Amino acid sequence: MVATYLKKWVGNRILSRTTRRGGLDLSKMRMFPSQVSMPLRREGLDPVPELAQVRETEPVHKLAHLFGLNVFVVSGHAEAKAVLADSTNFSNDIRPLVGSDPNKPSEGIGGLGFTDPPDHTRLRKLLTPEFTKRKLARLEPAIEKIVNDQLDLMEAKGPVADIVADFAFNVPFLLIADLLGVEESDRDRFRALGPARFDLSGGGIGVFGSASESRDFLFEIVRKQRENPGDGLIGSIIREQGDDLDDIELGGLADGVFLGGYETSASMLALGTLVLLRDPANFERIRNEPGAVDVIVEELLRYLTVVQVAFPRFARHDQELFGQQVKKGDLVAVSLSGADRDKQVFGADAEDFYPRRTVSSAHLAFGHGMHRCVGAELARMELRAAFTALAHRFPDLSLAVPEEQLRFRDFSIVYGVETLPVRLHATTAEQVAG
């Protein structure tokens, strides 16, 4: 009886602190309920077994009923694609669930991921021309230089280095800073703004607080470049489309580019390196087999799917969704990591990393539909360049600690490993044995 009373009392206290007049306020939550954590949990590199069990029996599954909302998780590949492509029956507008101060624009919700048409259509048109293959081709020399510079620094630091801190985070950070046109003097502050945006361990307060700080910084950058447009993406949009959007919208776009291109690529580089190190033949193929890196990168994207869930969708009206009765306002979370392990699409061995898989490109690691990541091709370019250079520079690369000692993020929208210590070259004894 006492335990039941205490549990009810704690639940009521949390509810009272996370609701506001008119409904739930996610930005006030100090913790996210454990009932909705399953799609964000992993065992090592693999989604928890419960996700596969749900996908096999109920690819659209009612996860919880919280604060008056039903929460559904979609883990089947076909069902995920259908929801992600459906802007008629679902909205991405999260603003009704997030309180904000109208006098503080940075506390608002911006960017493409939380925006519906027609605003989404208008804003995405501003970004799309900057991410065509033709435009991105000009970045290849910059990517190659950034990658090689970081490998030089790792070499100097060796014989042991941390792939996470010394390589995986630096490469996408420097590229995104260059792409946006962030000046050298602002980069130290810029660097610290990424990881906390995806860490759910501190609840909505941590996530939305970090988002507000990030947007404040980018609004400052936009205001500076209004007066003196730089050579990067922000300056380019100001010169070509400056009269068509205000600082808040442009800051939100820049925030989306930063958000989608920094932490996600960093996690892919670190975890991808770990996967490739499990079998030295992977790096050998990258070194010696033309085109192998393209196939391997696609399989890594599918297998790891570091963005674990897509931007939340909200039902616009009562409807039936693959056998489930969904009410207006219900939250539908698409498990990208679950969909990318669907055996009906990727085969009986979908839970395994298979670097010669021919259907890997059907993955949803970049999302699907109109909210698909606009920087997908840029991410591929980074990964191909980084893994190719890593394979050639350090052919004897190996883990410097047992894999079971590695620590992974426990509860984050973007999955990752905290550190990845590696030995850059084989020891004398290993060379003799080889």
Side-chain angles (χ1 to χ4, degrees):
M1 290 291 292
V2 174
T4 301
Y5 172 79
L6 286 175
K7 185 175 180 180
K8 184 176 181 180
W9 182 82
V10 170
N12 288 334
R13 292 290 291 174
I14 292 174
L15 178 61
S16 67
R17 291 179 180 180
T18 58
T19 54
R20 57 188 173 84
R21 185 175 298 175
L24 175 66
D25 186 350
L26 294 176
S27 67
K28 298 295 189 293
M29 297 183 74
R30 296 186 178 276
M31 59 180 290
F32 284 103
S34 59
Q35 300 98 305
V36 298
S37 69
M38 185 263 286
L40 298 170
R41 303 288 187 187
R42 295 204 188 189
E43 294 181 358
L45 298 181
D46 299 315
V48 292
E50 293 91 328
L51 189 58
Q53 293 165 9
V54 164
R55 184 179 59 245
E56 293 298 319
T57 59
E58 205 173 34
V60 177
H61 171 72
K62 184 176 176 180
L63 198 58
H65 181 79
L66 296 167
F67 311 122
L69 292 178
N70 293 316
V71 180
F72 294 88
V73 61
V74 181
S75 55
H77 189 274
E79 294 81 2
K81 285 186 70 175
V83 172
L84 293 175
D86 188 351
S87 60
T88 300
N89 294 306
F90 296 97
S91 167
N92 277 49
D93 188 356
I94 199 175
R95 286 175 297 180
L97 298 184
V98 179
S100 63
D101 184 343
N103 298 315
K104 296 181 180 179
S106 62
E107 291 189 3
I109 297 297
L112 296 175
F114 295 116
T115 308
D116 291 331
D119 287 338
H120 177 275
T121 308
R122 176 176 61 86
L123 294 172
R124 190 173 178 107
K125 281 183 178 178
L126 298 175
L127 277 185
T128 301
E130 302 297 327
F131 288 90
T132 62
K133 285 190 176 183
R134 182 180 62 82
K135 277 280 187 102
L136 291 176
R138 77 191 191 280
L139 294 177
E140 288 181 355
I143 294 173
E144 185 176 342
K145 183 178 187 307
I146 288 170
V147 167
N148 286 322
D149 285 349
Q150 296 310 303
L151 293 179
D152 289 343
L153 292 173
M154 282 177 60
E155 180 85 67
K157 185 175 182 177
V160 173
D162 177 12
I163 286 288
V164 175
D166 299 328
F167 185 67
F169 269 84
N170 294 340
V171 169
F173 169 76
L174 292 170
L175 182 61
I176 289 296
D178 281 349
L179 180 66
L180 289 176
V182 178
E183 297 177 1
E184 292 284 347
S185 58
D186 292 320
R187 292 191 179 188
D188 283 344
R189 181 180 167 196
F190 191 41
R191 183 187 295 271
L193 298 177
R197 297 287 296 274
F198 301 103
D199 184 1
L200 299 181
S201 60
I205 287 178
V207 171
F208 290 102
S210 300
S212 177
E213 184 180 355
S214 173
R215 284 192 291 269
D216 268 336
F217 171 76
L218 286 163
F219 293 156
E220 290 178 23
I221 299 296
V222 168
R223 283 191 287 269
K224 287 181 186 177
Q225 296 210 23
R226 284 283 186 191
E227 299 176 5
N228 185 23
D231 296 329
L233 178 65
I234 295 174
S236 174
I237 292 177
I238 287 173
R239 283 191 296 272
E240 297 176 15
Q241 310 283 347
D243 294 336
D244 294 337
L245 71 171
D246 58 27
D247 290 356
I248 305 303
E249 289 179 317
L250 182 51
L253 284 180
D255 186 50
V257 172
F258 167 58
L259 199 63
Y262 176 30
E263 180 80 5
T264 52
S265 293
S267 291
M268 272 301 304
L269 283 173
L271 293 177
T273 300
L274 173 59
V275 172
L276 296 178
L277 285 175
R278 289 175 168 178
D279 183 355
N282 294 317
F283 275 126
E284 185 176 343
R285 281 190 65 205
I286 291 175
R287 279 193 299 274
N288 300 320
E289 187 179 320
V293 69
D294 296 1
V295 179
I296 287 173
V297 162
E298 290 306 311
E299 174 66 355
L300 285 172
L301 286 164
R302 180 204 70 84
Y303 176 68
L304 293 170
T305 310
V306 296
V307 181
Q308 305 199 82
V309 295
F311 289 104
R313 266 64 175 176
F314 300 92
R316 294 183 185 272
H317 52 79
D318 293 358
Q319 59 190 278
E320 181 179 330
L321 183 64
F322 296 100
Q324 292 283 6
Q325 296 303 313
V326 177
K327 300 287 188 182
K328 180 180 180 180
D330 281 352
L331 191 156
V332 179
V334 175
S335 170
L336 302 177
S337 56
D340 279 348
R341 299 290 184 97
D342 193 330
K343 294 179 180 178
Q344 293 188 42
V345 177
F346 301 106
D349 61 348
E351 296 287 348
D352 302 325
F353 173 71
Y354 178 56
R356 296 183 184 273
R357 194 182 306 275
T358 58
V359 293
S360 298
S361 59
H363 66 75
L364 301 178
F366 294 119
H368 180 69
M370 72 178 185
H371 286 283
R372 185 177 183 272
C373 176
V374 71
E377 189 55 37
L378 178 60
R380 287 188 172 101
M381 290 169 61
E382 279 185 89
L383 296 173
R384 292 166 185 160
F387 289 132
T388 298
L390 197 62
H392 283 88
R393 179 72 69 94
F394 303 118
D396 298 318
L397 191 72
S398 62
L399 274 178
V401 298
E403 186 172 331
E404 55 267 23
Q405 291 183 13
L406 298 176
R407 291 188 303 110
F408 298 90
R409 289 185 194 146
D410 185 47
F411 193 26
S412 178
I413 297 170
V414 177
Y415 194 63
V417 62
E418 298 292 348
T419 62
L420 188 66
V422 293
R423 189 170 297 280
L424 303 179
H425 301 288
T427 63
T428 303
E430 289 171 333
Q431 290 171 340
V432 171

